[in-house]
Amino acid sequence: VGMAAPAALQRSVVSPAGRHTASLIFLHGSGDTGQGARTWIKQILNQDMAFQHIKVIYPTAPARIPFFPINTAGSSVWNLKKAISNDCPEHIESIDSMCQGLTDLINDEVKNGIAKNRILIGGFSMGGGMAMHLAYRFHQDLAGVFALSSFLNKDSAVYQALKINESVLPELFQCHGTADELVLYSWGEETNKMLKSLGVSTSLHTFPNLHHELSKIEIEKLKTWIIKKLPVEAAKRN
């Protein structure tokens, strides 16, 4: 039985200060919300992650039945998996159904006049994993992908798709703490090496003593990369 098409995702939005010419989609970690991720970044920076020309969108994953043993009545997760491990098989139905909902979000931006090469997608933890599926399997014409404390499974569908890929791929900006006890640094490193071997231009920024969390230096580095990938466009002359 196919999963029903997901309802439009709820989202928290930071509008650009000036003319909107690019968009950034940030996917939260498991059990969080778009608003939660935005608030977390705001606490770290003492202000929103905001730009002159880039709209920042924090969607919220739909609430699902609990996945691995966390005693909650349903967590906002991007896909269902049995365990946090890099050799646990991917739950491809839930990933693909979510990619559909996120594709609708991308299409909303395109309808607003934003070209796909002016849209970046990324996220924290499971959100970063989801962003890699979305970009490398379905939207290879996006401006770039970022993955913070994230990984892909050893035999990920992303790797299978890239083995037969011919097109130019979005660049990947990855960050990972060496003290991460939830998503091991080695899993992030292995993901980076695999994607690089499959033709993705990648960078991996290592943060000593950083646990499964975000840091100020990391977000500042990310912001610099975002502006490099989505520069301010010169005003069009008539």
Side-chain angles (χ1 to χ4, degrees), residues 180-198:
D180 194 327
E181 59 295 307
L182 191 68
V183 174
L184 302 185
Y185 176 78
S186 59
W187 301 351
E189 194 176 37
E190 193 181 309
T191 299
N192 195 280
K193 284 191 178 127
M194 267 305 283
L195 289 172
K196 190 169 251 161
S197 74
L198 292 165

Side-chain angles (χ1 to χ4, degrees), residues 108-177:
D108 284 348
E109 294 310 294
V110 173
K111 282 182 199 124
N112 288 333
I114 305 300
K116 282 183 73 183
N117 66 0
R118 296 284 291 167
I119 300 174
L120 275 180
I121 182 144
F124 175 73
S125 192
M126 189 189 269
M130 197 68 213
M132 291 187 275
H133 273 273
L134 189 66
Y136 295 122
R137 291 177 55 218
F138 302 104
H139 298 281
Q140 296 180 342
D141 48 355
L142 290 170
V145 186
F146 60 92
L148 315 173
S149 311
S150 307
F151 72 103
L152 289 170
N153 295 51
K154 281 189 191 312
D155 57 352
S156 174
V158 174
Y159 303 150
Q160 311 310 322
L162 293 184
K163 278 174 186 159
I164 52 171
N165 172 65
E166 296 292 309
S167 57
V168 177
L169 298 160
E171 184 187 322
L172 174 68
F173 178 92
Q174 228 180 316
C175 294
H176 216 115

Side-chain angles (χ1 to χ4, degrees), residues 34-215:
Q35 185 61 52
R38 175 183 174 177
T39 302
W40 189 21
I41 289 174
K42 200 172 177 173
Q43 281 164 348
I44 295 169
L45 295 178
N46 291 316
Q47 58 181 9
D48 266 315
M49 181 167 71
F51 302 89
Q52 191 60 30
H53 60 298
I54 305 167
K55 173 180 173 184
V56 184
I57 306 163
Y58 295 93
T60 295
R64 318 249 194 173
I65 309 310
F67 46 133
F68 42 82
I70 295 176
N71 304 322
T72 52
S75 303
S76 299
V77 293
W78 296 111
N79 62 70
L80 306 167
K81 53 178 164 187
K82 303 280 180 286
I84 301 178
S85 158
N86 73 339
D87 52 12
C88 167
E90 290 174 330
H91 190 285
I92 208 72
E93 293 90 337
S94 64
I95 291 174
D96 289 358
S97 120
M98 226 26 271
C99 282
Q100 225 182 316
L102 290 165
T103 292
D104 292 342
L105 193 61
I106 291 170
N107 290 341
D108 284 348
E109 294 310 294
V110 173
K111 282 182 199 124
N112 288 333
I114 305 300
K116 282 183 73 183
N117 66 0
R118 296 284 291 167
I119 300 174
L120 275 180
I121 182 144
F124 175 73
S125 192
M126 189 189 269
M130 197 68 213
M132 291 187 275
H133 273 273
L134 189 66
Y136 295 122
R137 291 177 55 218
F138 302 104
H139 298 281
Q140 296 180 342
D141 48 355
L142 290 170
V145 186
F146 60 92
L148 315 173
S149 311
S150 307
F151 72 103
L152 289 170
N153 295 51
K154 281 189 191 312
D155 57 352
S156 174
V158 174
Y159 303 150
Q160 311 310 322
L162 293 184
K163 278 174 186 159
I164 52 171
N165 172 65
E166 296 292 309
S167 57
V168 177
L169 298 160
E171 184 187 322
L172 174 68
F173 178 92
Q174 228 180 316
C175 294
H176 216 115
T178 57
D180 194 327
E181 59 295 307
L182 191 68
V183 174
L184 302 185
Y185 176 78
S186 59
W187 301 351
E189 194 176 37
E190 193 181 309
T191 299
N192 195 280
K193 284 191 178 127
M194 267 305 283
L195 289 172
K196 190 169 251 161
S197 74
L198 292 165
V200 178
S201 163
T202 68
S203 59
L204 175 58
H205 302 270
T206 303
F207 294 85
N209 310 318
L210 185 71
H211 295 268
H212 195 64
E213 59 193 341
L214 294 171
S215 80

